[in-house]
Amino acid sequence: MPRLSCFSPHFSVSAAAIGLAAMLCVFATPAAMAQAACESDNPVISAMQQKWNTPAPAGAEATDGFGPVQAALLPIAQAQAQFGPLSFKSKKQMQYALQLRWHVSEEGDYWLAADSGAWIDVVDGGRALEPLTFNHGLRCAGIHKALKFHLRAGDYLLRVASDETSGVKIAAGRP
């Protein structure tokens, strides 16, 4: 078996190849780690992430899991003229709002996600429901926050409001 020495041309090539491979690993690792870190363990958030960059325009009604949809919020005075007085659990003064009807056909846990810090209320019988869980979504994928609600079958109002932006991407999903 041939032996390599420091003066062997094979050693130089091998050392250069090893050095190049090590440099590629070092530079590729952050991107690979970022990609892996940008995947949610939550199957509902993961499913939203797969469609997040292809939103549809928001309609007046939604059913079960929907979206993502790009919701154009109205200036608050116009929203209240269209929907009646709107109240939000937020302590911030809202500048834009939208209200959608949301039909849930099957009882279960539903996640709502948004691409900004917009306020999201699920309203049942005039009362905003408390979310079971709030998290910061998957910001690397554009999902700023996610809220989990346990909902029974029925009709709800989905109120989305913002103190700074008139456009919000939202989605809903369930396991």
Side-chain angles (χ1 to χ4, degrees), residues 87 89 99-104 120-130 149-159:
S87 62
K89 291 178 70 175
Q99 181 170 277
L100 303 170
R101 290 183 301 273
W102 186 22
H103 178 75
V104 171
I120 301 174
D121 279 338
V122 176
V123 179
D124 182 23
R127 179 177 67 82
L129 304 177
E130 288 292 328
F149 293 87
H150 184 83
L151 303 172
R152 64 186 194 293
D155 294 314
Y156 298 88
L157 293 176
L158 183 59
R159 289 187 183 149

Side-chain angles (χ1 to χ4, degrees), residues 90-107:
S90 173
K91 292 180 177 29
K92 292 182 178 181
Q93 183 68 23
M94 296 301 163
Q95 300 300 314
Y96 304 95
L98 182 66
Q99 181 170 277
L100 303 170
R101 290 183 301 273
W102 186 22
H103 178 75
V104 171
S105 61
E106 187 177 329
E107 182 173 346

